[in-house]
Amino acid sequence: MNNFRTFDPCTLLAPVPAVMVSCACPEIDPRPNIITIAWAGTVNSDPPMVSVSVRKNRYSHALIKESGEFVVNLVDQERCKAVDYCGVRSGKDVNKWQECGVTPMTAIGMTHAPAIAECPAYLACKVRQVLELGSHDMFIGEVVGVQVREDLFAEDGSLHLERAGLVAYNHGVYQRTAEVLGFFGYSVARPEVLERRMKTYEK
């Protein structure tokens, strides 16, 4: 039998997605900004909605709150250093786009917030609700636009995000997510279906 060590209540949930959230509000700053967020997640499917939690003292908080929009950029291993940099430096002090060598591009449905051209996919979101939770405010955004890099699709049109080598945050450590262990429903799939589907994930 395994032994366990007791912790005080804490945010030990892991792994979680490490994403770069881009935002902009020209009334506050003519430059768009990027903030790294590990506290992001799906909260609804119809309409599609995601959440990001941001401390009130973070520079991006006001940009998102005042503009009412943000873009969640999924991150691959090539941008891992940029993910870390955008989490430890403030947009008040540095131009993160320039420092990280990334490029803003127009995001579907956004008035101000750009997407990051070098990222494999993005979700453009309009703020629908703000929940004050304590240390963080949770911005709940309706997804109004999505784009995914062309090379992540198979010839049959199916999406293979596992090919992107997305980055996850695991209690202080960045890790690449790549190996496919199964797919939704694989535990009850017929053997021939399981074999056929798993072959599509082979490199």
Side-chain angles (χ1 to χ4, degrees):
M1 174 177 265
N2 293 325
N3 294 322
F4 287 86
R5 187 172 298 186
T6 301
F7 280 71
D8 291 334
C10 61
T11 55
L12 189 62
L13 179 66
V16 291
V19 297
M20 296 167 76
V21 173
S22 44
C23 51
C25 183
E27 291 78 14
I28 296 177
D29 191 332
R31 303 173 306 164
N33 193 43
I34 305 169
I35 179 173
T36 294
I37 291 181
W39 294 356
T42 302
V43 295
N44 199 55
S45 56
D46 187 17
M49 303 179 87
V50 297
S51 69
V52 295
S53 290
V54 186
R55 287 184 181 271
K56 285 185 172 68
N57 63 355
R58 294 298 297 268
Y59 187 60
S60 292
H61 183 283
L63 301 182
I64 296 172
K65 188 171 183 180
E66 293 303 315
S67 69
E69 57 185 41
F70 59 90
V71 179
V72 177
N73 301 272
L74 305 188
V75 180
D76 58 18
Q77 62 182 19
E78 293 183 23
R79 300 274 89 80
C80 191
K81 194 170 184 179
V83 169
D84 187 66
Y85 184 88
C86 290
V88 297
R89 289 289 183 265
S90 173
K92 284 188 291 190
D93 306 320
V94 297
N95 184 328
K96 297 181 185 181
W97 301 86
Q98 181 177 333
E99 294 296 323
C100 295
V102 292
T103 311
M105 73 175 192
T106 301
I108 296 172
M110 298 290 95
T111 303
H112 302 296
I116 301 173
E118 290 76 11
C119 287
Y122 75 79
L123 296 82
C125 306
K126 290 285 189 180
V127 176
R128 297 305 183 215
Q129 190 174 356
V130 182
L131 300 178
E132 297 188 20
L133 301 176
S135 62
H136 290 65
D137 283 354
M138 176 186 284
F139 293 94
I140 298 177
E142 180 178 349
V143 180
V144 297
V146 176
Q147 285 194 309
V148 180
R149 206 171 61 207
E150 188 66 39
D151 64 295
L152 298 177
F153 293 89
E155 291 183 2
D156 63 3
S158 59
L159 176 60
H160 286 263
L161 274 178
E162 78 282 356
R163 297 177 182 174
L166 298 178
V167 173
Y169 187 71
N170 196 354
H171 197 56
V173 176
Y174 303 102
Q175 294 180 306
R176 184 168 66 97
T177 62
E179 184 180 2
V180 176
L181 304 177
F183 52 87
F184 181 73
Y186 86 102
S187 62
V188 295
R190 297 192 308 275
E192 67 273 16
V193 173
L194 179 61
E195 181 179 8
R196 184 180 75 249
R197 286 284 302 275
M198 289 305 292
K199 281 184 177 179
T200 67
Y201 300 110
E202 295 176 358
K203 294 183 180 179

